[in-house]
C-alpha cells in the first residue's frame, strides 16, 4: 500500500496529462518528541509573525492560468515573471529554532487553503487568532492581478497566500528578538496578529479590518 501525505495529494488539473509524470525530491527529518512544535505549545497572548512569500508558491495556479487566458498578450507577459517566481525554501528555520527553542511555539506553512486554513491547524480549540488586515503586506504584483478579477476577499483568502509564506507563533516577550533575527537573515518579517481567548462567535481565525 502507498500512503499519500500533504502535497502528494495535489490534483493539478490541466497540468497532469496521460503519460506525464511529476519528478520531485524531498527530505525527511527526525525531531525529539519534547521538541515538537504545534498547537499544544501555543498560549494566550502569543504573537503571530508573518514571513513573506516569494510569490504564489505554486498554489491557485489552476485559477491563475484561467485568468491569464482571458488577458491580452501584453498583460500575460507583464504578469509572467512574477508568476514564475520559485517557491521560497525557508532554510533559516532550523537555526531560528536553535536560537529560540522555547520561545517559538508553532509554525504554519501557508499552502493550499490560504492563511485561514493552515493557521487554524496550530491554534488550540479554546483559543483563536486575531489577524490585522491592515498589517497584511500583499505584494503589489498580486494586487495588480487580483484587481483585474471579480473575486471577493473571502475567496482570495481561501485560495492564495496573500504574500505570506510562513506564519510563526512565538511568545510575546520574544517577538521583537525573533523579528530582528529574521531581519538579520534578510527576511522582512512582521507581526500579523495575536492569539487570544475564543470569543462568543467561536471562530478560530478572526480578521480585524478596523485596525
Amino acid at each position: 500500500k502507498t500512503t499519500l501525505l500533504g502535497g502528494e495529494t495535489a490534483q493539478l488539473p490541466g497540468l497532469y496529462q496521460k503519460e506525464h509524470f511529476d519528478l520531485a525530491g524531498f527530505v525527511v527529518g527526525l525531531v525529539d518528541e519534547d521538541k515538537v512544535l504545534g498547537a499544544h505549545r501555543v498560549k494566550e497572548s502569543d504573537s503571530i509573525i508573518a514571513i513573506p512569500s516569494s510569490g504564489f508558491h505554486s498554489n491557485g495556479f489552476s485559477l491563475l492560468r484561467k485568468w491569464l487566458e482571458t488577458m491580452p498578450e501584453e498583460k500575460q507577459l507583464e504578469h509572467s515573471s512574477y508568476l514564475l517566481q520559485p517557491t521560497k525554501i525557508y532554510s533559516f528555520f532550523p537555526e531560528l529554532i536553535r536560537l529560540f527553542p522555547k520561545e517559538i511555539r508553532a509554525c504554519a506553512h501557508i499552502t493550499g487553503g490560504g492563511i485561514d486554513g493552515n493557521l487554524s491547524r496550530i491554534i488550540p480549540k479554546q483559543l483563536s487568532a486575531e489577524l490585522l488586515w491592515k498589517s497584511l503586506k500583499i505584494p503589489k504584483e498580486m494586487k495588480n492581478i487580483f484587481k483585474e478579477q471579480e473575486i471577493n476577499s473571502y475567496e482570495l483568502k481561501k485560495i492564495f497566500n496573500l504574500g505570506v509564506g510562513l506564519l510563526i507563533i512565538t511568545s510575546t516577550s520574544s517577538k521583537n528578538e525573533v523579528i530582528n533575527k529574521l531581519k538579520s537573515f534578510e527576511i522582512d518579517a512582521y507581526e500579523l496578529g495575536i492569539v487570544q481567548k475564543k470569543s462568543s462567535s467561536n471562530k478560530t481565525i478572526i480578521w480585524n479590518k478596523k485596525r
Side-chain angles (χ1 to χ4, degrees):
K1 293 183 178 180
T2 300
T3 301
L4 296 177
L5 300 172
E8 285 69 38
T9 60
Q11 296 180 12
L12 303 181
L15 186 61
Y16 284 162
Q17 301 176 42
K18 187 177 181 180
E19 298 183 358
H20 285 203
F21 66 91
D22 180 33
L23 179 63
F26 63 92
V27 175
V28 174
L30 297 176
V31 61
D32 294 335
E33 188 174 359
D34 63 341
K35 296 179 181 178
V36 173
L37 303 180
H40 63 285
R41 297 180 58 167
V42 175
K43 301 176 182 179
E44 183 184 351
S45 81
D46 280 349
S47 296
I48 302 170
I49 297 172
I51 309 296
S53 69
S54 55
F56 287 97
H57 280 196
S58 304
N59 291 294
F61 271 78
S62 298
L63 181 57
L64 287 168
R65 286 200 307 274
K66 289 181 179 179
W67 285 352
L68 280 179
E69 290 172 359
T70 66
M71 296 180 186
E73 187 174 343
E74 61 270 18
K75 279 289 184 181
Q76 294 183 25
L77 292 173
E78 179 184 323
H79 296 313
S80 61
S81 61
Y82 186 72
L83 293 176
L84 292 173
Q85 289 291 323
T87 298
K88 185 180 289 184
I89 304 298
Y90 297 108
S91 56
F92 65 83
F93 201 71
E95 175 66 8
L96 196 68
I97 292 296
R98 187 186 70 79
L99 294 169
F100 303 97
K102 295 182 179 179
E103 294 86 351
I104 292 179
R105 319 286 203 200
C107 67
H109 188 205
I110 309 306
T111 56
I115 293 173
D116 292 21
N118 290 282
L119 179 59
S120 61
R121 298 174 183 174
I122 57 169
I123 303 297
K125 291 182 179 180
Q126 74 276 16
L127 300 175
S128 64
E130 181 189 27
L131 305 178
L132 307 183
W133 184 260
K134 291 182 179 179
S135 296
L136 184 63
K137 298 179 181 180
I138 303 177
K140 180 180 68 176
E141 294 87 349
M142 279 192 185
K143 288 182 178 179
N144 289 340
I145 294 173
F146 293 154
K147 73 180 182 181
E148 297 174 17
Q149 312 302 322
E150 294 182 3
I151 181 169
N152 60 43
S153 60
Y154 174 75
E155 291 296 327
L156 287 178
K157 288 195 284 118
K158 285 175 57 179
I159 300 170
F160 301 110
N161 63 36
L162 302 183
V164 177
L166 188 72
L167 287 172
I168 297 174
I169 298 182
T170 183
S171 62
T172 300
S173 60
S174 64
K175 68 177 180 181
N176 291 331
E177 287 184 81
V178 172
I179 289 174
N180 288 335
K181 177 53 66 175
L182 287 165
K183 290 185 183 297
S184 76
F185 296 151
E186 299 185 351
I187 296 169
D188 189 22
Y190 61 95
E191 187 175 20
L192 182 59
I194 60 170
V195 178
Q196 60 185 14
K197 284 184 179 178
K198 189 166 282 185
S199 66
S200 57
S201 68
N202 207 35
K203 291 183 178 179
T204 301
I205 309 297
I206 300 169
W207 284 93
N208 188 331
K209 296 193 175 183
K210 294 181 180 180
R211 59 187 184 95

PDB file of all heavy atoms in Angstrom, residues 12 15 19 88 156-157 164 181 183 185 189 204:
ATOM      1  N   LEU A  12      -3.577  19.247  -9.471  1.00  0.00           N
ATOM      2  CA  LEU A  12      -3.007  19.975 -10.607  1.00  0.00           C
ATOM      3  C   LEU A  12      -3.805  19.778 -11.901  1.00  0.00           C
ATOM      4  O   LEU A  12      -3.273  19.332 -12.918  1.00  0.00           O
ATOM      5  CB  LEU A  12      -1.546  19.540 -10.832  1.00  0.00           C
ATOM      6  CG  LEU A  12      -0.606  19.701  -9.635  1.00  0.00           C
ATOM      7  CD1 LEU A  12       0.798  19.259 -10.003  1.00  0.00           C
ATOM      8  CD2 LEU A  12      -0.586  21.122  -9.131  1.00  0.00           C
ATOM      9  N   LEU A  15      -2.702  20.271 -15.815  1.00  0.00           N
ATOM     10  CA  LEU A  15      -1.250  20.139 -15.917  1.00  0.00           C
ATOM     11  C   LEU A  15      -0.834  18.689 -16.125  1.00  0.00           C
ATOM     12  O   LEU A  15      -0.118  18.367 -17.063  1.00  0.00           O
ATOM     13  CB  LEU A  15      -0.585  20.706 -14.657  1.00  0.00           C
ATOM     14  CG  LEU A  15       0.942  20.779 -14.684  1.00  0.00           C
ATOM     15  CD1 LEU A  15       1.423  21.678 -15.819  1.00  0.00           C
ATOM     16  CD2 LEU A  15       1.477  21.303 -13.344  1.00  0.00           C
ATOM     17  N   GLU A  19       0.345   9.860 -19.627  1.00  0.00           N
ATOM     18  CA  GLU A  19       1.751   9.526 -19.851  1.00  0.00           C
ATOM     19  C   GLU A  19       2.712  10.612 -19.361  1.00  0.00           C
ATOM     20  O   GLU A  19       3.901  10.571 -19.657  1.00  0.00           O
ATOM     21  CB  GLU A  19       2.014   9.203 -21.334  1.00  0.00           C
ATOM     22  CG  GLU A  19       1.229   7.999 -21.831  1.00  0.00           C
ATOM     23  CD  GLU A  19       1.544   7.656 -23.276  1.00  0.00           C
ATOM     24  OE1 GLU A  19       2.349   8.375 -23.888  1.00  0.00           O
ATOM     25  OE2 GLU A  19       0.995   6.663 -23.765  1.00  0.00           O
ATOM     26  N   LYS A  88       9.755  29.828  -2.188  1.00  0.00           N
ATOM     27  CA  LYS A  88      10.861  30.069  -1.262  1.00  0.00           C
ATOM     28  C   LYS A  88      11.005  28.892  -0.298  1.00  0.00           C
ATOM     29  O   LYS A  88      10.025  28.382   0.231  1.00  0.00           O
ATOM     30  CB  LYS A  88      10.608  31.353  -0.482  1.00  0.00           C
ATOM     31  CG  LYS A  88      11.753  31.775   0.428  1.00  0.00           C
ATOM     32  CD  LYS A  88      11.421  33.052   1.171  1.00  0.00           C
ATOM     33  CE  LYS A  88      11.425  34.248   0.246  1.00  0.00           C
ATOM     34  NZ  LYS A  88      11.204  35.523   0.985  1.00  0.00           N
ATOM     35  N   LEU A 156     -10.366  34.947  -2.006  1.00  0.00           N
ATOM     36  CA  LEU A 156      -8.924  35.119  -2.155  1.00  0.00           C
ATOM     37  C   LEU A 156      -8.189  34.463  -0.995  1.00  0.00           C
ATOM     38  O   LEU A 156      -7.161  33.809  -1.182  1.00  0.00           O
ATOM     39  CB  LEU A 156      -8.568  36.610  -2.209  1.00  0.00           C
ATOM     40  CG  LEU A 156      -8.921  37.372  -3.490  1.00  0.00           C
ATOM     41  CD1 LEU A 156      -8.537  38.843  -3.344  1.00  0.00           C
ATOM     42  CD2 LEU A 156      -8.217  36.770  -4.695  1.00  0.00           C
ATOM     43  N   LYS A 157      -8.704  34.638   0.227  1.00  0.00           N
ATOM     44  CA  LYS A 157      -8.055  34.085   1.413  1.00  0.00           C
ATOM     45  C   LYS A 157      -8.106  32.556   1.427  1.00  0.00           C
ATOM     46  O   LYS A 157      -7.247  31.915   2.027  1.00  0.00           O
ATOM     47  CB  LYS A 157      -8.715  34.634   2.683  1.00  0.00           C
ATOM     48  CG  LYS A 157      -8.399  36.100   2.944  1.00  0.00           C
ATOM     49  CD  LYS A 157      -8.759  36.506   4.365  1.00  0.00           C
ATOM     50  CE  LYS A 157     -10.251  36.681   4.530  1.00  0.00           C
ATOM     51  NZ  LYS A 157     -10.865  35.794   5.484  1.00  0.00           N
ATOM     52  N   VAL A 164       2.017  35.769   2.195  1.00  0.00           N
ATOM     53  CA  VAL A 164       2.573  35.172   3.410  1.00  0.00           C
ATOM     54  C   VAL A 164       2.930  33.711   3.126  1.00  0.00           C
ATOM     55  O   VAL A 164       2.059  32.915   2.794  1.00  0.00           O
ATOM     56  CB  VAL A 164       1.568  35.243   4.579  1.00  0.00           C
ATOM     57  CG1 VAL A 164       2.142  34.548   5.822  1.00  0.00           C
ATOM     58  CG2 VAL A 164       1.221  36.691   4.894  1.00  0.00           C
ATOM     59  N   LYS A 181      16.061  38.964  14.490  1.00  0.00           N
ATOM     60  CA  LYS A 181      16.929  37.893  13.997  1.00  0.00           C
ATOM     61  C   LYS A 181      16.564  37.529  12.554  1.00  0.00           C
ATOM     62  O   LYS A 181      17.450  37.318  11.716  1.00  0.00           O
ATOM     63  CB  LYS A 181      16.815  36.667  14.906  1.00  0.00           C
ATOM     64  CG  LYS A 181      17.618  35.450  14.442  1.00  0.00           C
ATOM     65  CD  LYS A 181      19.084  35.786  14.175  1.00  0.00           C
ATOM     66  CE  LYS A 181      19.831  36.180  15.430  1.00  0.00           C
ATOM     67  NZ  LYS A 181      21.279  36.383  15.188  1.00  0.00           N
ATOM     68  N   LYS A 183      15.299  39.542  10.378  1.00  0.00           N
ATOM     69  CA  LYS A 183      15.788  40.633   9.537  1.00  0.00           C
ATOM     70  C   LYS A 183      17.289  40.497   9.287  1.00  0.00           C
ATOM     71  O   LYS A 183      17.784  40.872   8.222  1.00  0.00           O
ATOM     72  CB  LYS A 183      15.464  41.987  10.177  1.00  0.00           C
ATOM     73  CG  LYS A 183      13.970  42.316  10.145  1.00  0.00           C
ATOM     74  CD  LYS A 183      13.680  43.708  10.677  1.00  0.00           C
ATOM     75  CE  LYS A 183      12.174  43.988  10.708  1.00  0.00           C
ATOM     76  NZ  LYS A 183      11.557  43.965   9.376  1.00  0.00           N
ATOM     77  N   PHE A 185      18.633  37.768   8.770  1.00  0.00           N
ATOM     78  CA  PHE A 185      18.661  36.771   7.697  1.00  0.00           C
ATOM     79  C   PHE A 185      18.151  37.370   6.377  1.00  0.00           C
ATOM     80  O   PHE A 185      17.914  36.643   5.416  1.00  0.00           O
ATOM     81  CB  PHE A 185      17.782  35.561   8.054  1.00  0.00           C
ATOM     82  CG  PHE A 185      18.240  34.776   9.243  1.00  0.00           C
ATOM     83  CD1 PHE A 185      17.315  34.085  10.022  1.00  0.00           C
ATOM     84  CD2 PHE A 185      19.574  34.707   9.599  1.00  0.00           C
ATOM     85  CE1 PHE A 185      17.708  33.345  11.125  1.00  0.00           C
ATOM     86  CE2 PHE A 185      19.996  33.961  10.703  1.00  0.00           C
ATOM     87  CZ  PHE A 185      19.051  33.289  11.466  1.00  0.00           C
ATOM     88  N   ALA A 189      10.276  40.143   8.099  1.00  0.00           N
ATOM     89  CA  ALA A 189       9.190  39.598   8.916  1.00  0.00           C
ATOM     90  C   ALA A 189       8.448  40.722   9.629  1.00  0.00           C
ATOM     91  O   ALA A 189       9.002  41.786   9.894  1.00  0.00           O
ATOM     92  CB  ALA A 189       9.756  38.613   9.929  1.00  0.00           C
ATOM     93  N   THR A 204     -12.159  30.392  14.916  1.00  0.00           N
ATOM     94  CA  THR A 204     -10.746  30.138  15.196  1.00  0.00           C
ATOM     95  C   THR A 204      -9.869  31.247  14.622  1.00  0.00           C
ATOM     96  O   THR A 204      -8.895  31.664  15.244  1.00  0.00           O
ATOM     97  CB  THR A 204     -10.316  28.779  14.617  1.00  0.00           C
ATOM     98  OG1 THR A 204     -11.123  27.753  15.193  1.00  0.00           O
ATOM     99  CG2 THR A 204      -8.848  28.492  14.915  1.00  0.00           C
TER     100      THR A 204
END
